Amino acid sequence: MENYAAPHSGNGLTSLKAAGARLADHGAMKAEHGHSREEIARRLQGSRKEGRLRDAVYGGIDGAVTTFAIAAGVEGAGFNSSVIIALGIANVLADGFSMAAANYLGTKADLDDRRRLYRVEQSHIRDYPEGEREELRQILQELGLSGGVLEGAVKAVAAKPEKWISLMLASEYGLGPAEPNPVAAALTTFLAFMLAGIVPLLPFILGLPDPFLLASAATGLVFFAIGASKSIWSLSPWWISGLETLLIGSCAAALAYGAGSLFRG
């Protein structure tokens, strides 16, 4: 176990802070997941299901950015709130559907390619069994197996064609165990786009005072929340991830407001 005691030499406060940071990192790593038999089984089973994080972040950020950019551009041009509402709702529906459709087609292409490669490996195992067994042997050899253990592993994996093909897909083509789900990807993108995209419009729809100021603040919170939430799956602290997303969204809004200002009467 790592020693977290502060050294006797040097700055004591600095040493204590460093030791505390190491201890916090160690604790965070320990808390990532459990290692009981049941926890391991659940985690490995879950790894075969495709996550929706990418689709949600993709749709949410684009929904908030594009809708607020429209509001900022129209506000910069000096038009009234009804124009912002009309263009904003049109954007939420049309652009949200467009993004969902694009994500569906892209994910479907990935799925089709995966199934094609699966059939290629399936036919290779049927037509060239010895060559595929040698390929399997070399893959397992790269993982550190040798001798009788290696031959036993080759025999065991080759006895289960589906597991064999899955291993080949991962090792040869870098494909994960989960099949892409185009419908789920599209729906997640569309819903995230709708939920985040409607936020900049709410102050205008509800007729609140200073709607653009409220829309700016609310959209900023959405940017920050999306960035902070995705830090759960990254190494960045939540506040850095949140500020990064907020900065990107703010730049897009500033560009749109500046462009709209050029047309102010």
Side-chain angles (χ1 to χ4, degrees):
M1 181 177 177
E2 187 177 353
N3 182 9
Y4 294 109
H8 293 293
S9 59
N11 187 309
L13 181 59
T14 302
S15 300
L16 284 172
K17 286 181 177 178
R22 290 197 300 272
L23 183 58
D25 290 343
H26 180 71
M29 286 188 290
K30 283 182 67 177
E32 284 178 1
H33 53 245
H35 290 84
S36 69
R37 183 185 295 271
E38 294 77 14
E39 288 170 322
I40 291 170
R42 282 197 301 269
R43 187 166 65 253
L44 292 178
Q45 186 65 32
S47 69
R48 300 185 183 96
K49 299 176 183 177
E50 190 186 28
R52 301 267 68 89
L53 173 66
R54 173 189 169 277
D55 303 314
V57 171
Y58 177 55
I61 290 180
D62 200 67
V65 167
T66 56
T67 308
F68 184 72
I70 287 172
V74 174
E75 179 74 15
F79 293 111
N80 60 40
S81 296
S82 61
V83 177
I84 293 176
I85 294 171
L87 293 179
I89 291 176
N91 175 76
V92 167
L93 294 175
D95 199 15
F97 180 81
S98 174
M99 282 192 64
N103 200 10
Y104 173 85
L105 293 173
T107 307
K108 180 70 163 49
D110 288 339
L111 178 61
D112 291 343
D113 187 49
R114 180 190 181 89
R115 289 176 175 173
R116 178 187 66 83
L117 293 173
Y118 187 95
R119 288 175 185 160
V120 167
E121 290 300 324
Q122 202 173 34
S123 66
H124 285 179
I125 288 173
R126 182 184 65 245
D127 299 335
Y128 311 102
E130 290 308 313
E132 288 297 307
R133 285 175 72 90
E134 177 57 29
E135 209 170 321
L136 174 61
R137 182 177 289 105
Q138 292 189 26
I139 289 171
L140 294 174
Q141 204 167 16
E142 287 183 1
L143 295 176
L145 277 63
S146 61
V149 174
L150 172 62
E151 294 306 317
V154 170
K155 184 177 180 181
V157 174
K160 299 179 179 179
E162 287 192 9
K163 300 293 184 184
W164 186 358
I165 294 173
S166 294
L167 181 60
M168 303 296 276
L169 291 178
S171 301
E172 279 193 75
Y173 306 104
L175 299 178
E179 272 202 347
N181 187 329
V183 174
L187 286 175
T188 302
T189 299
F190 185 68
L191 289 175
F193 191 102
M194 290 272 291
L195 289 173
I198 201 68
V199 170
L201 301 178
L202 288 177
F204 298 97
I205 294 172
L206 298 176
L208 300 177
D210 296 321
F212 184 69
L213 181 61
L214 291 175
S216 302
T219 307
L221 287 175
V222 170
F223 289 148
F224 189 84
I226 292 173
S229 64
K230 70 185 177 68
S231 72
I232 298 172
W233 294 272
S234 73
L235 296 176
S236 300
W238 64 271
W239 58 273
I240 289 182
S241 184
L243 288 175
E244 177 187 49
T245 307
L246 175 60
L247 177 62
I248 292 171
S250 299
C251 288
L255 288 172
Y257 187 86
S261 298
L262 297 177
F263 301 94
R264 183 182 289 272

